[in-house]
């Protein structure tokens, strides 16, 4: 019973944040609308298509098997690039599928080479970003791929589970400090796995025996080689999907019994719950009324090919209802005009619809050229229509506009801007099915704080993005509206051609002359546009100096000033120098003036990509108490940029914006260190309504470029060859430490740090989220965040007493802000106790502490604490044998209002003497090469260190005993 309660509790913690990226739908167990897009640089090859179909057909069947007949792939869109020859069987589309595809077929990310992987920076239950498969993997389906990976379709299901259900890898990696390939259990070495029973062999990379340090850390050249062909274990897809007997995910049944003790990423992030528990609680499964019934798992493939020169198609749907009267409509008009005249790329198509009590087509879809821009901007509404708010009708008209030339609406983007609540039929939810059927994407700009709360469901369902523009009275100078428009057009272009936003901010001119430095990195320099916007633009003048000293000013042909309609100065350079530019902003008159500055540029050569930033939110609809999670990906192609300064600026319903620093440190909100994805929590809510988020990224010299970027992959490249030799020994699922050679080499080679990156600056609009149910009480109800990097650094025994040193990254009072108050640390010899009855276990108190502080360190700091493990914990009966005692630890952090953070991951400490192979003579073949001296010295040094440690511990321990009197 207790167990059930805890599971229910855990389900409350996982956020099934259905992020708006994917618009995959589920119908009677069949997933539809899955997009597999081939990158345009992948050479044309018919075999790729044949093999993709085969791969996904088999994957669909395997997905059905692993979900007990509950899910399969029903409809898959294979998007063929326009660089391939057109064929009659390809459907012509006007959409660039690649940037938003669920599955990318693209040249390798150097970190993963040909291993399929999923970009999955989210938390438990969150959607991932995309699956990446290389053309080589697909083409070699029956060759190298089959040899190296086994049945490839199983890897697809593994990746799909990462992407769709937010479950994680259930294996460890050699040398990985967080998720090691082996761990100690009852004095035996166990391969890190979600299930206990998989058997196999171990050996070092050179074919010799594995080595181990005295504390039981297996050296990183040691591999577990599963007994692939003779295995009977049924789980798990997230561990070694290619083992033929594996037919499902780990669960609570005997056949697939989940191992909650293994230090896997899945256990760490998903509260040690079996993958199947997490999956069946995903809305795809939990919300389904009745079990799916389907007679075939064969997917239907739609082959679509973007026409050559496919460009964006947008319809602006503008609110002109009564409430827009006055300043709001003027503001909107100016921003829309700048958008049409300055921003929309040549060749894209644009239409305009307005709505008040009814909707009107103001301009049909028109291809943008220097002659049509002004024609389109003249059609923009200049005043309100005085009526009510017919959002639904506006959307219907927009779809008609997209289809007016006999084209499909699919691939079109509707940019909806509204300031109020809809009050004319049909309502948004009634026309949603039509929008989904037509496959149009809706981006919504909430104009002011009264904009409808129905915008988030609309953008989510159509795969669009929401933005928020607060300043509808035009009191502050901000670019937020321009930035939302820009983001919408950018997302439609091929990834390689999308413009990069270098700068987007507001400068207060409080003297007659202001200098602004602008760094243009060397990959950029095409179609560079410097824009300066201000209500008082007539009082502003700009001089721009290039890195070589060339000057652009009001007499240059590249310079335009519009002080009437657009209120901006723009300097457009089709080709520009790169390096440090200086803008000299001159103000006439004596009053302060605010100027918004925006700089965008495109890569000179699309084959040499600049650093790009993409930012997003894990959820766009929050209910208080909650925390928002912001992500920013900083990469150059697939290479990760690490060490950049990443800051999210968050505009709140009230008061000035707040800053949140995003980190790539593998703690707090960040699931994976140094992967180029930075994340942060936000909790400083101050009211119901929308919060707009913009990420600013800066390299002021510390950033480095790493080749490739790590993500979640299936453990793959185990070769099936050479199995005969191993069959001499029986396969087992645990290993005696006596099979290992003792080593003192614990240091793993440090990962290459990367090359210093060029100086750069970027801005990325993450969009907006909406918060409801905010309570403005003074009481703090937000708990500290969950610790998920708890580790046992060392465990020691002394005079029949047992000590451990623990380490973790400290959270804050509210998630990760402010100092928390206390540490609730508990332990048990039964790992499951910490999951199922944490609060029933005895809590450690100050008297157990032998070194370190028993109060939480400041947020983000590494905390190290040494404690004595009470006899009452380790003397308890358990599976532990007399010689080996495993003690498991977990903690939660509590704030000053007694809000308790979630229970951390579980860390284990081992007590007892480990036996090792008696002498390195065991190292058969390499014997003649052995130089004994380092071993002897090593063992000597290790013993000396141990003696010193024991001495120090004794001293510290005795001292503490004197200092801390047991509480009475
Ligand atoms: C789906 O899987 C279930 C369970 O393994 C099986 O009974 C069923 O026949 C499968 N359905 C199809 C259409 O293959
Ligand atoms: C848009 O096109 C439709 C059909 O082609 C036409 O009936 C309508 O008059 C056009 N509207 C405008 C504003 O040009
Ligand atoms: C429009 O563009 C064409 C070709 O790019 C150019 O020749 C022409 O001068 C432009 N017209 C105007 C009014 O800028
Ligand atoms: C392997 O297992 C078999 C059957 O359990 C046993 O008879 C045999 O002795 C084992 N061989 C080794 C080398 O352990």
């Amino acid at each position: 019973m207790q167990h059930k309660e805890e599971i229910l509790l855990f389900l409350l913690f996982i956020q099934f944040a259905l992020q708006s990226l994917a618009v995959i739908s589920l119908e009677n167990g069949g997933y539809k609308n899955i997009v597999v897009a081939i990158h345009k640089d992948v050479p044309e090859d018919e075999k790729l298509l044949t093999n993709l179909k085969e791969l996904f057909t088999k994957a669909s069947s395997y997905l059905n098997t692993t979900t007990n007949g509950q899910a399969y792939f029903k409809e898959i869109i294979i998007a063929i690039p326009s660089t391939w020859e057109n064929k009659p069987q390809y459907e012509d589309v006007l959409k660039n599928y690649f940037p938003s595809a669920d599955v990318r077929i693209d040249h390798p990310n150097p970190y993963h080479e040909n291993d399929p992987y999923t970009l999955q920076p989210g938390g438990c239950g969150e959607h991932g970003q995309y699956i990446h498969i290389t053309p080589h993997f697909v083409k070699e389906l029956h060759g190298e791929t089959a040899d190296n990976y086994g049945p490839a379709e199983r890897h697809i299901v593994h990746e799909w589970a990462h992407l769709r259900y937010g479950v994680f890898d259930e294996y460890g990696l050699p040398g990985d400090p967080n998720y090691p390939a082996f761990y100690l259990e009852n004095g035996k070495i166990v391969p890190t796995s979600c299930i206990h029973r998989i058997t196999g062999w171990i050996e070092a990379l050179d074919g010799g025996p594995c080595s181990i340090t005295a504390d039981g850390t297996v050296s990183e050249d040691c591999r577990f080689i599963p007994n692939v062909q003779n295995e009977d274990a049924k789980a798990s897809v997230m561990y070694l999907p290619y083992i033929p007997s594996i037919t499902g995910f780990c669960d609570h049944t005997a056949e697939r019994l989940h191992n909650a003790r293994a230090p896997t990423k899945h256990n760490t992030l998903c509260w040690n719950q079996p993958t199947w528990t997490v999956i069946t609680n995903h809305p795809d499964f939990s919300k389904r009324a009745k079990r799916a019934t389907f007679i075939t798992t064969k997917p239907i493939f739609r082959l679509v090919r973007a026409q050559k020169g496919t460009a964006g198609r947008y319809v602006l749907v503008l609110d002109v209802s009564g409430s827009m009267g006055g300043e709001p409509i003027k503001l909107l008009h100016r921003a829309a005009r700048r958008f049409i005249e300055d921003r929309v790329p040549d060749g894209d198509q644009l239409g305009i619809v307005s709505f008040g009590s009814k909707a009107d087509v103001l301009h049909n879809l028109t291809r943008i050229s220097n002659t049509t821009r002004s024609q389109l901007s003249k059609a923009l509404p200049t005043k309100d229509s005085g009526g009510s708010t017919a959002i639904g009708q506006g959307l219907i008209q927009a779809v008609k506009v997209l289809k007016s030339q006999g084209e499909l609406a699919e691939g079109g983007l509707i940019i909806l801007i509204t300031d109020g609540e809809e009050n004319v039929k049909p309502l948004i939810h009634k026309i949603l099915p039509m929008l989904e059927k037509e496959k149009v994407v809706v981006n919504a700009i909430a104009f002011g704080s009264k904009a409808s709360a129905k915008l988030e469901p609309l953008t989510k369902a159509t795969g669009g993005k929401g933005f928020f523009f607060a300043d509808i009275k035009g009191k502050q100078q901000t670019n937020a509206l321009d930035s939302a428009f820009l983001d919408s057009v950018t997302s439609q272009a091929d990834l390689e051609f999308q413009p990069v936003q270098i700068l987007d901010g507001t400068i207060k001119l409080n003297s007659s002359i202001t200098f602004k430095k602008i760094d243009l990195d060397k990959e950029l320099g095409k179609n560079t546009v410097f824009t300066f916007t201000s209500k008082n633009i007539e009082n502003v003048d700009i001089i721009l100096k290039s890195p070589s000293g060339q000057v652009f000013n009001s007499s240059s042909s590249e310079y335009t000033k519009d002080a009437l309609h657009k209120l901006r100065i723009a300097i457009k350079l089709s080709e520009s120098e790169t390096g440090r530019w200086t803008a000299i902003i001159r103000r006439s008159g004596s009053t302060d003036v605010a100027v918004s500055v925006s700089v965008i540029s495109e890569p000179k050569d699309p084959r040499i990509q600049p650093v790009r930033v993409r930012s997003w939110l894990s959820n766009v609809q929050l209910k208080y108490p909650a925390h928002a999670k912001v992500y920013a990906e900083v990469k150059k192609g697939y290479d990760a940029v690490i060490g950049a300064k990443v800051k999210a600026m968050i505009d709140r319903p009230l008061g000035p914006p707040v800053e949140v620093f995003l980190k790539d440190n593998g703690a707090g909100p960040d699931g994976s260190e140094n992967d180029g994805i930075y994340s942060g929590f936000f909790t400083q809510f101050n009211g119901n309504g929308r919060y707009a988020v913009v990420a600013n990224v800066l390299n002021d010299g510390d950033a480095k470029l790493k080749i490739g970027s790590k993500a979640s992959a299936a453990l793959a490249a185990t070769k099936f060859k050479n199995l005969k030799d191993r069959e001499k020994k029986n396969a087992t699922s645990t290993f005696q430490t006596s099979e290992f050679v003792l080593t003192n080499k614990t240091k793993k080679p440090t990962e290459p740090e990367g090359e210093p990156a060029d100086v750069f600056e970027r801005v990325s609009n993450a969009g907006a989220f909406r918060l409801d149910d905010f309570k403005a009480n003074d009481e703090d109800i937000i708990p500290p965040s969950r610790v998920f990097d708890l580790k046992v650094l060392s465990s020691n025994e002394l005079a029949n007493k047992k000590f451990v040193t623990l380490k973790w990254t400290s959270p804050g009072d509210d998630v990760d802000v402010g100092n928390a108050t206390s540490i609730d640390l508990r332990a048990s010899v039964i790992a499951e106790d910490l999951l199922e009855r944490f609060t029933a276990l005895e809590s450690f108190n100050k008297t157990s502490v032998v070194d370190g502080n028993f109060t939480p360190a400041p947020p983000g700091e590494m905390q190290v604490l040494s404690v004595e493990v009470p006899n009452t914990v380790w003397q308890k009966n358990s599976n532990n044998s007399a010689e080996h005692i495993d003690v498991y630890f977990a903690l939660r952090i509590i704030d000053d209002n007694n809000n308790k953070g979630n229970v951390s991951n579980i860390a284990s400490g081992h007590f007892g003497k480990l036996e090792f192979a008696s002498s390195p003579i065991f190292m058969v073949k390499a014997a003649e090469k052995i130089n004994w001296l380092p071993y002897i010295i090593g063992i000597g040094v290790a013993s000396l260190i141990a003696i010193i440690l024991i001495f120090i511990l004794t001293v510290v321990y005795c001292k503490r005993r004197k200092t801390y009197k047991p509480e009475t």
Side-chain angles (χ1 to χ4, degrees):
M1 219 47 230
Q2 179 84 37
H3 188 60
K4 251 210 159 101
E5 274 164 36
E6 289 288 336
I7 288 183
L8 285 178
L9 204 63
F10 133 82
L11 290 173
L12 293 176
F13 302 150
I14 44 175
Q15 290 188 3
F16 286 109
L18 298 187
Q19 197 191 301
S20 50
L21 276 166
V23 279
I24 295 168
S25 62
L26 184 63
E27 191 183 281
N28 187 30
Y31 286 102
K32 292 169 72 174
N33 231 346
I34 299 168
V35 177
V36 178
I38 302 170
H39 190 271
K40 63 177 176 33
D41 292 344
V42 172
E44 179 157 8
D45 188 343
E46 193 75 30
K47 197 169 164 199
L48 207 51
L49 300 181
T50 322
N51 285 1
L52 270 177
K53 285 192 213 164
E54 182 187 331
L55 182 58
F56 277 88
T57 304
K58 287 181 173 166
S60 179
S61 166
Y62 192 59
L63 179 62
N64 172 60
T65 305
T66 55
T67 58
N68 297 328
Q70 295 192 63
Y72 71 107
F73 298 138
K74 187 177 173 123
E75 188 195 292
I76 292 174
I77 300 171
I78 299 183
I80 294 153
S82 59
T83 46
W84 289 25
E85 202 68 32
N86 202 3
K87 299 241 167 84
Q89 64 268 35
Y90 303 160
E91 211 181 302
D92 252 351
V93 287
L94 291 170
K95 181 180 166 98
N96 245 326
Y97 275 99
F98 194 84
S100 58
D102 309 294
V103 182
R104 290 180 171 189
I105 310 297
D106 194 5
H107 65 266
N109 166 346
Y111 187 91
H112 289 286
E113 295 176 340
N114 281 310
D115 295 349
Y117 71 87
T118 307
L119 186 64
Q120 174 44 294
C124 192
E126 281 178 32
H127 279 183
Q129 302 282 302
Y130 57 80
I131 295 170
H132 181 173
I133 307 174
T134 66
H136 186 80
F137 183 92
V138 181
K139 272 192 263 182
E140 285 292 319
L141 197 59
H142 298 289
E144 212 183 297
T145 299
D147 289 349
N148 287 349
Y149 299 85
E153 68 274 11
R154 295 181 172 213
H155 292 273
I156 302 301
V157 174
H158 174 106
E159 301 312 328
W160 171 258
H162 279 314
L163 181 77
R164 183 71 185 176
Y165 312 125
V167 293
F168 298 88
D169 290 324
E170 298 193 295
Y171 56 80
L173 287 175
D176 191 308
N178 298 315
Y179 313 118
F182 298 92
Y183 70 101
L184 257 177
E185 201 177 303
N186 293 327
K188 292 198 184 112
I189 298 295
V190 185
T192 302
S193 147
C194 63
I195 186 164
H196 263 116
R197 56 191 286 177
I198 289 183
T199 60
W201 305 271
I202 49 165
E203 68 178 31
L205 278 182
D206 65 2
C210 284
S211 46
I212 193 171
T213 59
D215 68 355
T217 307
V218 174
S219 66
E220 65 172 309
D221 65 343
C222 184
R223 297 286 183 279
F224 172 66
I225 297 131
N227 186 7
V228 174
Q229 300 310 336
N230 301 310
E231 191 49 68
D232 64 353
K234 298 268 185 285
S236 166
V237 176
M238 300 316 284
Y239 178 43
L240 298 169
Y242 57 79
I243 294 181
S245 62
I246 288 178
T247 53
F249 296 88
C250 282
D251 55 24
H252 289 298
T253 66
E255 278 192 318
R256 305 199 172 106
L257 193 60
H258 175 67
N259 171 14
R261 297 180 201 185
T264 64
K265 184 163 185 179
H266 179 79
N267 274 339
T268 302
L269 294 188
C270 287
W271 279 268
N272 305 66
Q273 294 302 313
T275 33
W276 186 240
T277 305
V278 178
I279 292 171
T280 46
N281 282 288
H282 186 280
D284 284 358
F285 293 88
S286 65
K287 282 196 182 150
R288 189 146 357 122
K290 61 179 197 314
R291 236 182 119 90
T293 50
F294 39 84
I295 48 165
T296 175
T297 60
K298 213 169 143 29
I300 296 161
F301 292 97
R302 234 184 105 196
L303 299 186
V304 302
R305 178 181 164 277
Q307 290 175 7
K308 272 228 163 63
T310 290
R313 289 185 302 151
Y314 324 92
V315 181
L316 289 181
V317 179
L318 308 173
D319 192 338
V320 292
S321 62
S323 52
M324 288 292 290
E327 194 56 30
I329 194 95
K330 284 190 198 150
L331 253 166
L332 178 57
H333 181 95
R334 288 197 289 263
R337 195 156 178 155
R338 290 192 290 263
F339 172 66
I340 295 171
E341 294 181 10
D342 301 346
R343 283 283 189 251
V344 185
D346 276 334
D348 280 10
Q349 296 186 69
L350 185 78
I352 306 168
V353 169
S354 71
F355 64 91
S357 302
K358 63 178 189 48
D360 294 305
V361 177
L362 301 182
H363 206 294
N364 275 327
L365 211 58
T366 302
R367 199 167 286 280
I368 299 287
S369 68
N370 57 8
T371 49
T372 56
R373 280 182 205 275
S374 58
Q375 197 183 313
L376 276 154
S377 75
K378 276 194 199 107
L380 286 169
T382 49
K383 57 183 193 341
D384 67 291
S385 68
S388 14
T389 308
I391 299 180
Q393 291 189 19
L395 294 169
I396 290 174
Q397 287 304 329
V399 172
K400 280 195 187 144
V401 167
L402 284 169
K403 291 167 85 168
S404 63
Q405 294 155 352
E407 303 283 2
L408 292 175
E410 180 171 6
L413 174 71
I414 293 172
I415 306 172
L416 168 70
I417 298 142
T418 177
D419 74 334
E421 193 54 81
E422 57 173 346
N423 48 22
V424 180
K425 282 180 185 165
L427 299 180
I428 293 173
H429 74 270
K430 286 281 186 207
I431 59 158
L432 245 175
M434 182 274 285
L435 293 170
E436 289 177 81
K437 192 165 146 272
E438 297 288 353
K439 301 199 168 92
V440 289
V441 176
V442 181
N443 279 5
I445 304 176
F447 200 65
S449 56
K450 296 203 178 71
S452 173
K454 295 173 191 163
L455 298 179
E456 279 75 16
L458 174 65
T459 53
K460 258 162 95 163
T462 61
K465 194 164 169 181
F467 301 93
F468 175 46
F469 180 76
D471 187 29
I472 56 168
K473 295 278 189 256
K475 292 212 174 91
Q476 268 109 37
Q477 178 60 47
T478 143
N479 257 346
L481 205 46
D482 300 71
S483 150
F485 280 130
L486 175 67
D487 191 276
S488 300
V489 293
T490 302
S491 65
Q492 299 300 97
D494 264 333
L495 286 177
E496 293 80 358
F497 294 104
Q498 293 180 356
V500 166
Q501 183 141 31
I502 296 153
L503 201 66
D504 184 23
T506 298
I507 301 174
K508 289 249 186 314
L509 309 182
N510 36 27
S511 64
S512 61
I513 190 156
T514 306
F515 294 88
K516 175 75 194 160
K517 285 183 308 225
I518 299 155
D519 289 314
L520 214 58
D521 22 326
K522 62 176 185 295
E523 292 84 2
L524 299 171
K526 192 178 160 214
N527 294 334
T528 308
V529 185
F530 300 82
T531 310
F532 302 84
T533 319
S534 175
K535 278 190 293 187
N536 309 96
I537 201 72
E538 70 280 2
N539 294 336
V540 177
D541 190 30
I542 306 290
I543 297 167
L544 202 57
K545 252 171 99 176
S546 82
S548 74
Q550 197 186 350
V551 170
F552 297 87
N553 58 23
S554 56
S555 46
S556 312
S557 62
E558 294 87 351
Y559 183 110
T560 55
K561 181 167 184 169
D562 178 340
L564 189 61
H565 299 297
K566 294 191 275 183
L567 307 188
R568 66 103 181 98
I569 293 168
I571 297 160
K572 296 190 193 185
L573 308 169
S574 53
E575 274 172 38
S576 67
E577 290 175 35
T578 56
R580 179 156 290 180
W581 287 71
T582 310
I584 302 153
I585 311 172
R586 288 206 302 216
R587 181 200 78 185
S588 56
S590 57
T591 46
D592 283 5
V593 168
V595 177
S596 293
V597 186
S598 149
V599 181
I600 62 172
S601 187
E602 293 169 22
K604 280 194 288 250
D605 176 353
R607 287 165 306 179
I608 305 169
Q609 280 295 299
V611 170
R612 289 182 179 276
V613 176
R614 198 167 56 93
S615 60
W616 67 95
L617 304 161
S618 71
N619 200 349
V620 294
Q621 279 176 295
L622 297 176
K623 281 207 187 316
Y624 190 82
H627 52 261
K629 219 161 135 186
V630 184
Y631 296 93
E633 177 191 69
V634 190
K635 286 188 185 159
K636 190 174 190 292
Y638 286 114
D639 295 344
V641 177
I642 60 169
K645 300 218 166 31
V646 184
K647 182 170 76 174
M649 297 296 294
I650 297 160
D651 245 325
R652 303 185 290 178
L654 302 164
V658 284
E659 287 179 1
V660 171
F661 285 92
L662 310 187
K663 291 186 189 142
D664 186 12
N665 60 354
D670 191 64
S672 179
E673 186 184 17
N674 289 343
D675 61 351
I677 297 180
Y678 298 69
S679 35
F681 287 129
F682 170 78
T683 54
Q684 292 144 281
F685 304 108
N686 64 0
N688 282 331
R690 293 193 168 86
Y691 292 71
V693 185
V694 171
N696 292 285
V697 183
L698 178 72
N699 170 24
D700 52 10
D702 294 341
K704 296 214 163 78
L705 197 63
K706 278 180 88 163
I707 303 296
S709 47
K710 65 174 181 259
S712 300
L715 199 56
T718 298
K719 313 274 187 254
F720 291 92
K721 296 161 190 162
N722 306 327
L723 270 181
K724 278 192 213 81
D725 289 349
R726 296 185 186 113
E727 280 162 5
K728 285 186 300 224
K729 258 186 168 182
N730 286 343
T732 51
S733 60
T734 60
F735 301 89
Q736 305 290 343
T737 49
S738 56
E739 296 174 54
F740 291 77
V741 176
L742 183 63
T743 176
N744 57 2
K745 186 176 145 279
T746 52
K747 220 171 141 267
K748 61 166 199 135
T750 45
E751 255 186 83
E753 281 226 305
E755 294 289 306
D758 288 341
V759 167
F760 66 82
E761 201 174 339
R762 295 286 185 274
V763 181
S764 165
N765 196 327
F769 64 87
R770 201 190 147 80
L771 179 82
D772 288 300
D773 296 350
F774 178 74
K775 282 176 202 68
N777 48 10
D778 295 333
E779 203 188 349
D780 169 10
I781 59 169
I782 298 182
S785 65
R786 176 184 183 241
V787 169
F788 66 81
D789 61 351
L790 178 69
K791 277 193 206 65
V792 171
L793 279 187
S794 61
S795 39
N796 311 74
E797 286 180 273
L798 200 66
N800 205 28
K801 288 185 190 298
K802 303 193 192 307
F803 303 92
V804 290
T805 300
L806 299 159
K807 180 180 121 173
W808 69 93
T809 308
S810 187
D813 177 295
D814 286 353
V815 186
D816 60 354
V817 176
N819 278 5
T821 306
S822 58
I823 297 167
D824 184 6
L825 170 68
R826 307 193 191 214
S828 173
V829 287
I830 303 163
E832 288 74 10
D833 274 359
L834 292 158
L835 300 172
E836 292 159 16
R837 40 190 297 270
F838 183 83
T839 51
L841 302 171
E842 196 186 330
S843 187
F844 281 69
N845 59 37
K846 259 193 339 204
T847 56
S848 327
V849 174
V850 291
D851 196 17
N853 255 325
F854 202 54
T855 48
E861 278 186 20
M862 198 59 80
Q863 183 151 16
V864 178
L865 183 72
S866 300
V867 289
E868 183 192 342
V869 186
N871 299 4
T872 48
V873 170
W874 61 263
Q875 283 174 345
K876 218 172 109 176
N877 282 334
S878 74
N879 303 335
N880 286 325
S881 57
E883 306 87 62
H884 298 287
I885 295 178
D886 291 330
V887 181
Y888 297 89
F889 299 86
L891 54 78
R892 59 182 181 179
I893 305 298
I894 302 176
D895 73 10
D896 53 358
N897 202 29
N898 206 26
N899 295 310
K900 301 174 179 78
N902 290 326
V903 177
S904 72
N905 65 305
I906 296 175
S908 75
H910 168 263
F911 300 97
K913 193 170 162 357
L914 298 174
E915 305 288 339
F916 304 104
S918 52
S919 82
I921 284 167
F922 219 81
M923 297 177 85
V924 265
K925 288 163 284 184
E928 64 271 24
K929 282 194 190 149
I930 293 176
N931 174 2
W932 290 97
L933 198 61
Y935 288 96
I936 296 165
I937 294 177
I939 291 167
V941 169
S943 325
L944 199 67
I945 290 173
I947 291 167
I948 294 172
L949 255 175
I950 290 170
F951 177 74
I952 292 175
L953 262 175
T954 315
V955 171
V956 168
Y957 172 70
C958 294
K959 237 169 103 184
R960 295 281 156 164
R961 277 275 123 153
K962 267 181 230 146
T963 329
Y964 296 114
K965 298 243 153 49
E967 278 162 345
T968 45

